[in-house]
Amino acid sequence: IAIKKSVDLQAAQDMAARVLKLGWGVLTPDSPEFPVLLRDLPDGPVLLFRLGEPMPPDARLVAIVGTRHPSEKGKRFSKSLAAELAQSGVTVVSGMAEGIDSAAHAGAIEAGGKTIAIWGTSLDIVYPSGNRALAQKIQASGAICSEYLPGTGPERAYFPERNRIISGMCDAVIVVEAGLKSGALITADAAMNQGRDLFAVPGAPDAAMSVGTNYLIKKGARLLT
């Protein structure tokens, strides 16, 4: 009874009308389009909002993530790796952050493949704002998804939450470059806890953006070349 009294039914109806007006797809774990692997997660999303193309339930999904401040070599590798995966029929998943994430999305798109971006904001707030053009390309050749209601801006806590979805929906996660405080390591930890295959690209011992990936390899991630 207390729960029923606390529910604002009108607010819920208003929000549903807003989502409908925005034209977002609304996916629940019962939806055929809902990523299969996410259904088994104890902390998985109860709703996913989508812009772009429907996500095939049998798609092979691989995440490519990394630092927002990569080396030029790291960006090139991320882009070429994403292109090779996309040409093999794999859908590349990432978070559309600057750096490695953006390079991965761009590589898949330029190869004529599919890519999915998982946002730490709602779908009506592009973040970072400088990736607006990339977001449009992703929407045209894949999908953008978020669990957040309209009007949800970027908050620090939302990105680790977003990362569990990136790893949780994929068969494997690849970390290209990362410092020890990189958010990509949060995605890597989630992948290991979720039982996903984790790969890391090795680098020189004194390279700042290889410290995180070398650390992951020491912890048991598979070395990717």
Side-chain angles (χ1 to χ4, degrees), residues 20-188:
L20 190 64
K21 186 176 181 180
L22 288 166
W24 298 356
V26 181
L27 314 180
T28 70
D30 294 328
S31 305
E33 187 187 338
F34 196 86
V36 174
L37 292 177
L38 279 185
R39 294 174 183 160
D40 297 329
L41 293 187
D43 63 344
V46 295
L47 279 179
L48 273 181
F49 300 107
R50 175 187 48 74
L51 281 173
E53 300 179 358
M55 298 184 292
D58 59 346
R60 292 183 295 162
L61 307 178
V62 172
I64 299 177
V65 297
T67 178
R68 289 175 169 81
H69 308 287
S71 66
E72 286 302 315
K73 184 182 291 185
K75 284 197 292 186
R76 286 196 303 270
F77 184 83
S78 180
K79 195 171 184 179
S80 64
L81 177 63
E84 288 187 44
L85 287 170
Q87 288 167 349
S88 299
V90 171
T91 298
V92 175
V93 180
S94 199
M96 211 187 79
E98 294 173 333
I100 295 298
D101 290 23
S102 293
H105 290 303
I109 292 167
E110 291 175 17
K114 301 293 184 183
T115 187
I116 298 171
I118 309 299
W119 284 5
T121 63
S122 55
L123 299 181
D124 54 338
I125 299 179
V126 179
Y127 182 83
S129 58
N131 270 354
R132 195 172 300 276
L134 177 60
Q136 292 173 344
K137 291 178 182 178
I138 294 171
Q139 186 176 339
S141 62
I144 300 169
C145 297
S146 171
E147 65 178 326
Y148 298 110
L149 295 170
T152 304
E155 296 288 344
R156 193 180 192 92
Y158 296 158
F159 294 96
E161 292 179 350
R162 178 273 309 271
N163 292 351
R164 88 195 191 286
I165 297 177
I166 291 175
S167 58
M169 69 192 294
C170 292
D171 295 296
V173 173
I174 300 168
V175 183
V176 176
E177 283 187 335
L180 275 180
K181 294 185 178 180
S182 173
L185 297 192
I186 297 175
T187 310

Side-chain angles (χ1 to χ4, degrees), residues 184-201:
L185 297 192
I186 297 175
T187 310
D189 282 340
M192 287 189 284
N193 291 333
Q194 295 161 345
R196 305 298 184 253
D197 288 332
L198 177 64
F199 297 84
V201 178

